[in-house]
Amino acid sequence: EAEVAQSPRYKITEKSQAVAFWCDPISGHATLYWYRQILGQGPELLVQFQDESVVDDSQLPKDRFSAERLKGVDSTLKIQPAELGDSAMYLCASSLSREAFFGQGTRLTVV
Amino acid sequence: QKEVEQDPGPLSVPEGAIVSLNCTYSNSAFQYFMWYRQYSRKGPELLMYTYSSGNKEDGRFTAQVDKSSKYISLFIRDSQPSDSATYLCAMSAFDNQGGKLIFGQGTELSVKP
């Protein structure tokens, strides 16, 4: 069964350091999402790609976060510098039409 | 006020009970409604997907959408301990460029043997 792959699964970093997450969507899925989920809350959209183009990044803190999907396939989300408040689960999802399928996420802890 | 409201629980039921999970929303443009199940430290897993109003059944799960009341429900029949998880409702308006999912806070469910 096709899955969304994310790595790493867990990441501990010191504040002010740079951190990057990688996502490989389900093959053929043109839409890719990055969501952030704080413990006890629902996921919130950070950025949405349609192929290699950004469709929605209105909630992405652009002073420290960046995202790219250069060839319209896999994607990288970067945080630099990391802050204590960035500790959360970072989820990648992909979609062919309407249903979005999520990966297992990267749990980030900033110390 | 959040666009999607969901009681966080926790909700505890005995094995075999019928579980009712609910969300309300404020954006009348939402047309696509989903329920996700999320186990601890895992990503959300799509359970049910419904377009517009009506009911949809899949095994022990039934999803209902009432757009006139801006209210959606997920029913779980014959609940099992393996159903213990957080259940997230999500919805979207979708347009020509796709659309972001707006999630509820999630309801934590515990099914006791």
Side-chain angles (χ1 to χ4, degrees), chain B residues 29-97:
Chain B
F30 288 148
Q31 296 187 72
Y32 299 87
F33 305 91
M34 299 168 206
W35 285 95
Y36 287 84
R37 176 174 62 195
Q38 187 174 28
Y39 292 113
S40 181
R41 302 181 186 277
K42 302 288 188 182
E45 172 193 7
L46 181 63
L47 276 179
M48 301 286 285
Y49 161 67
T50 309
Y51 169 68
S52 194
S53 287
N55 295 357
K56 185 174 183 178
E57 186 173 324
D58 184 1
R60 296 185 296 112
F61 298 91
T62 299
Q64 287 186 352
V65 175
D66 182 349
K67 290 190 69 180
S68 63
S69 300
K70 297 189 178 66
Y71 189 87
I72 70 170
S73 301
L74 178 71
F75 297 96
I76 307 175
R77 291 183 298 280
D78 187 24
S79 56
Q80 302 295 310
S82 59
D83 295 327
S84 298
T86 296
Y87 289 80
L88 297 156
C89 64
M91 48 199 79
S92 178
F94 282 103
D95 55 22
N96 291 335
Q97 291 185 308

Side-chain angles (χ1 to χ4, degrees), chain A:
Chain A
E1 182 176 310
E3 293 183 343
V4 176
Q6 287 190 250
S7 66
R9 288 292 313 279
Y10 303 93
K11 180 71 177 179
I12 300 175
T13 191
E14 294 183 348
K15 64 180 180 179
S16 80
Q17 295 299 304
V19 63
F21 315 126
W22 177 80
C23 172
D24 190 11
I26 294 171
S27 178
H29 283 196
T31 306
L32 184 148
Y33 308 87
W34 284 100
Y35 281 83
R36 177 169 61 185
Q37 185 177 25
I38 295 170
L39 190 64
Q41 298 184 21
E44 293 187 338
L45 182 71
L46 290 173
V47 62
Q48 177 188 345
F49 290 92
Q50 187 70 22
D51 297 309
E52 66 274 9
S53 300
V54 173
V55 172
D56 185 347
D57 65 355
S58 58
Q59 299 304 309
L60 187 71
K62 298 181 186 64
D63 57 335
R64 298 186 301 107
F65 286 63
S66 64
E68 61 181 15
R69 192 183 184 198
L70 292 176
K71 296 184 179 179
V73 181
D74 59 341
S75 176
T76 302
L77 178 69
K78 297 179 181 178
I79 308 174
Q80 183 174 16
E83 296 180 352
L84 295 177
D86 296 333
S87 294
M89 174 84 91
Y90 290 82
L91 294 161
C92 179
S94 70
S95 175
L96 182 61
S97 58
R98 302 287 185 249
E99 301 108 307
F101 298 92
F102 283 81
Q104 293 304 305
T106 296
R107 179 165 295 280
L108 173 67
T109 302
V110 182
V111 298

